[in-house]
Amino acid sequence: MSALTIDQIVPGRHDIDVALEALPHVEAYLAKRHDEDTVRVVVVDEGEESLVIPRGVVDLMAKVLALVAAGESVSIVPSHAELTTQQAADLLNVSRPFLIGLLETGQIEFRTVGKHRRVKASSLHDYLSRDDQRRREAADELSALNQEMGLT
């Protein structure tokens, strides 16, 4: 496993406009076709060329289009990629010292290479999933307390 340079798409106005136009078509197509494992895409350029793409890739493309349409920057990182602590902190949108704290308390798995820490992208995903679950449970608990106290 090696470290990875993370490329980022930073959409400009033209990218946003194109994504806004394409997104409804992709979403409508996916909504109609629930059970297919592949999607056939026709590329119209100088001639028509048909491509077969895995359904999961098209689902991911729809998510990327939605983010670009919203003007958000997008990065795609393979789950096996090993990241530096700065890359991992950037992906989580936290400071490097905060990330180091998460690593040292065992909330995110990592390994050391010499004196350096390396974090698998899948470990970041696992952490985010657990954190989202904790947040949902806390929100549910607050909602229940509000109802119990008659505040809602």
Side-chain angles (χ1 to χ4, degrees), residues 12-79:
R13 184 73 244 163
H14 177 71
D15 299 324
I16 293 169
D17 291 342
V18 170
L20 282 168
E21 184 178 333
L23 182 59
H25 299 287
V26 173
E27 288 175 333
Y29 179 86
L30 291 173
K32 286 189 270 183
R33 312 220 187 291
H34 298 288
D35 58 348
E36 296 178 14
D37 292 338
T38 60
V39 174
R40 183 171 302 282
V41 177
V42 176
V43 179
V44 179
D45 202 2
E46 292 179 17
E48 280 193 12
E49 185 177 345
S50 181
L51 306 172
V52 177
I53 301 174
R55 166 69 187 241
V57 171
V58 179
D59 289 334
L60 181 60
M61 184 177 75
K63 292 175 184 174
V64 169
L65 280 172
L67 290 167
V68 170
E72 297 288 332
S73 297
V74 178
S75 298
I76 296 177
V77 180
S79 60

Side-chain angles (χ1 to χ4, degrees), residues 117-135:
R117 297 175 187 93
R118 294 291 180 260
V119 182
K120 276 192 180 176
S122 59
S123 295
L124 292 180
H125 184 268
D126 293 345
Y127 167 77
L128 286 172
S129 295
R130 288 190 312 271
D131 191 52
D132 285 346
Q133 182 62 33
R134 281 192 298 266
R135 289 173 193 261

Side-chain angles (χ1 to χ4, degrees), residues 71-119:
E72 297 288 332
S73 297
V74 178
S75 298
I76 296 177
V77 180
S79 60
H80 72 275
E82 288 189 326
L83 310 170
T84 66
T85 53
Q86 187 60 59
Q87 290 170 323
D90 290 345
L91 284 174
L92 291 180
N93 200 28
V94 299
S95 69
R96 187 175 168 279
F98 182 81
L99 175 82
I100 299 294
L102 294 174
L103 299 177
E104 295 300 326
T105 59
Q107 295 182 58
I108 298 176
E109 290 182 42
F110 70 98
R111 72 182 187 107
T112 54
V113 178
K115 294 181 181 180
H116 303 284
R117 297 175 187 93
R118 294 291 180 260
V119 182

Side-chain angles (χ1 to χ4, degrees), residues 141-152:
E141 187 177 326
L142 282 173
S143 179
L145 284 171
N146 280 336
Q147 288 178 352
E148 198 174 286
M149 296 172 72
L151 298 174
T152 56

